[in-house]
Amino acid sequence: MRTVVDKELADWAVAHRRYLHENPELSGQEYETCVYIRRCLEELQIEILDYPAPNLVGFLRGTEGQKTIALRADIDALPIVEEGEKPYLSKVAGVAHVCGHDGHTAILLAVAKWLSENRSMIRHNILFLFQSSEEMSPSGAEALVQQGAIDGADAVFGMHLMQSLEKGKIGYHYGAMMASSDDFRIKITGKGGHGSSPHETVDPTYVAGHILLGLQAIVSRKVNPVQPAVISVGQVLAGSNYNIIPNEAVMTGTIRTFSEETRQFIFEEVKRLAEGMSTTFGAVGEVSYILGTPPLVNDKEMSRFAESVIRESYGEHVAVEIEPVMGADDFSFYGQKRPSTYLMFGMGGEKSQYPHHHPRFDIDEEEIGTAIDLFLQLVSRFE
């Protein structure tokens, strides 16, 4: 089956996208967004499954119903003040869709509309995952996985409108595509005193300096060089005045890896380093982690299928095998449970010039129709 999305459906999606753009909600707070999506799906006579808001899952039974395909759209916005002159700027102070999730949601709504109106042509069952909290923990994807939303799925597909990828290109990747994302906090407790008498103190800032240097050695001298990893310290807090040695120092940062093995290894090494270095200088080091998302690893068979669909539907020049990135996406939780693949839909160009999370970011709405079509192609060609 060759599906061609007409202008009417693309315009329908754009209208919904603009409404969502004007009415954004932060991660974990997408309740009105869910009400809006639910109303759309009910008008389309799509069954709403019983999962708690702010996640929403729709279901359409196929004519054969022997296999189930899950399609995912993230629905949350970011805590940022939007800038620009476009007529559909955010109406919510300090909250804006500057990553493209409004587009993802509108695309999946349009896919639901087309499938609902062409039920007799759809062999497989379809799950529509409108998922909260991609941008912040706790993850909406993790919640849906834990609640069993994709237990019966034979495949899970997701896509991201991508400003950094040239307009007209669709990116795929085999294996690890995006990194894990975890936060760490190191607290060093020493003994404060006067800056003129460091010998009478246990200076936690001095210890923090050694730990800061040692963290970089974990990546350069402990991790296998063929396994990409990043440890970045983004914040060091200590002291109240220039001539006072404080009692404690606190460091926070992020860890990024492409494998669970490397991820766990770095956790252990950071803890060992921070505690051991603190003890060496007479201080006490405490390490805590905020676990974020695991590495996003595409299933090879699903990626091979998606690549073939892209090449056959849109031409060899459209398909691009993209490099892995150290950014993270909680689509990774689906991949831990069921065969899945995540695709990047290029829109970079004159109409989408600013990077994701920039106050002036915007999507190129001309690409929405083809993005809808890609989801429909994946559904119709899946065996």
Side-chain angles (χ1 to χ4, degrees):
M1 178 181 70
R2 177 69 172 97
T3 59
V4 179
V5 172
D6 59 25
K7 186 176 185 300
E8 183 179 355
L9 181 59
D11 289 345
W12 184 90
V14 168
H16 284 285
R17 180 259 163 169
R18 293 191 174 191
Y19 174 85
L20 294 164
H21 192 91
E22 291 178 345
N23 298 275
E25 294 180 294
L26 293 173
S27 301
Q29 302 175 24
E30 309 98 321
Y31 294 100
E32 290 303 315
T33 303
C34 280
V35 169
Y36 184 82
I37 295 169
R38 174 182 286 271
R39 185 164 62 248
C40 291
L41 295 183
E42 288 176 343
E43 289 175 358
L44 298 170
Q45 298 183 323
I46 300 287
E47 181 183 355
I48 309 297
L49 301 185
D50 188 20
Y51 292 97
N55 284 321
L56 189 145
V57 180
F59 179 75
L60 185 149
R61 186 171 299 280
T63 56
E64 297 177 5
Q66 295 177 354
K67 291 187 177 181
T68 298
I69 302 169
L71 306 175
R72 176 267 205 160
D74 36 17
I75 67 175
D76 53 332
L78 285 157
I80 193 169
V81 177
E82 187 174 20
E83 299 175 1
E85 296 75 40
K86 52 183 174 277
Y88 45 88
L89 284 172
S90 171
K91 296 178 180 179
V92 183
V95 183
H97 274 294
V98 290
C99 195
H101 296 184
D102 52 338
H104 303 164
T105 304
I107 288 165
L108 190 54
L109 282 174
V111 170
K113 177 176 171 62
W114 194 97
L115 293 175
S116 174
E117 293 171 352
N118 295 273
R119 292 173 187 246
S120 62
M121 301 171 66
I122 310 306
R123 293 176 297 146
H124 305 309
N125 303 325
I126 310 297
L127 284 170
F128 303 95
L129 308 176
F130 293 94
Q131 176 225 299
S132 76
S133 305
E134 188 280 320
E135 297 287 359
M136 298 182 186
S137 296
S139 159
E142 183 178 22
L144 284 177
V145 169
Q146 290 176 345
Q147 292 158 8
I150 63 167
D151 282 358
D154 295 279
V156 186
F157 297 108
M159 74 171 74
H160 202 300
L161 296 167
M162 186 56 57
Q163 187 277 331
S164 59
L165 183 62
E166 179 186 351
K167 180 177 178 177
K169 304 294 185 182
I170 302 175
Y172 62 92
H173 186 79
Y174 290 80
M177 178 182 182
M178 301 183 77
S180 60
S181 177
D182 303 294
D183 299 341
F184 65 88
R185 181 178 186 270
I186 300 172
K187 178 183 176 182
I188 305 140
T189 304
K191 176 184 176 184
H194 200 286
S196 66
S197 305
H199 60 292
E200 296 176 355
T201 73
V202 177
D203 186 350
T205 64
Y206 179 74
V207 179
H210 282 273
I211 293 173
L212 182 59
L213 292 174
L215 289 173
Q216 304 313 309
I218 292 175
V219 174
S220 66
R221 289 295 178 269
K222 291 283 189 176
V223 175
N224 187 330
V226 300
Q227 293 291 332
V230 168
I231 303 175
S232 291
V233 175
Q235 191 176 54
V236 180
L237 300 175
S240 59
N241 201 34
Y242 76 98
N243 64 348
I244 300 172
I245 293 175
N247 279 317
E248 67 179 42
V250 176
M251 308 165 63
T252 59
T254 187
I255 298 170
R256 306 291 175 109
T257 70
F258 281 120
S259 76
E260 278 296 325
E261 182 180 1
T262 304
R263 187 187 190 197
Q264 295 301 322
F265 175 77
I266 289 179
F267 288 166
E268 295 168 4
E269 286 297 307
V270 169
K271 181 177 175 63
R272 185 192 63 78
L273 171 71
E275 293 178 350
M277 191 66 73
S278 297
T279 299
T280 297
F281 292 104
V284 176
E286 301 173 73
V287 180
S288 57
Y289 296 105
I290 300 174
L291 296 183
T293 58
L296 194 163
V297 183
N298 287 330
D299 179 82
K300 291 183 179 180
E301 288 302 316
M302 291 299 104
S303 295
R304 186 173 292 110
F305 164 68
E307 180 191 356
S308 68
V309 169
I310 296 166
R311 293 188 185 280
E312 292 170 12
S313 300
Y314 310 109
E316 296 288 332
H317 65 288
V318 172
V320 178
E321 185 167 8
I322 60 175
E323 295 293 325
V325 296
M326 279 295 177
D329 192 298
D330 70 352
F331 186 84
S332 55
F333 284 107
Y334 302 121
Q336 287 189 323
K337 185 74 174 181
R338 306 302 300 161
S340 69
T341 196
Y342 199 48
L343 303 170
M344 296 298 184
F345 202 96
M347 61 171 187
E350 183 180 352
K351 295 185 178 181
S352 185
Q353 301 181 21
Y354 296 94
H356 297 263
H357 296 208
H358 188 283
R360 289 179 175 267
F361 170 86
D362 199 8
I363 68 174
D364 185 340
E365 293 178 336
E366 291 180 357
E367 295 303 298
I368 283 180
T370 309
I372 297 167
D373 190 71
L374 176 56
F375 263 150
L376 294 175
Q377 293 288 348
L378 292 169
V379 168
S380 66
R381 293 169 180 259
F382 188 78
E383 296 296 336

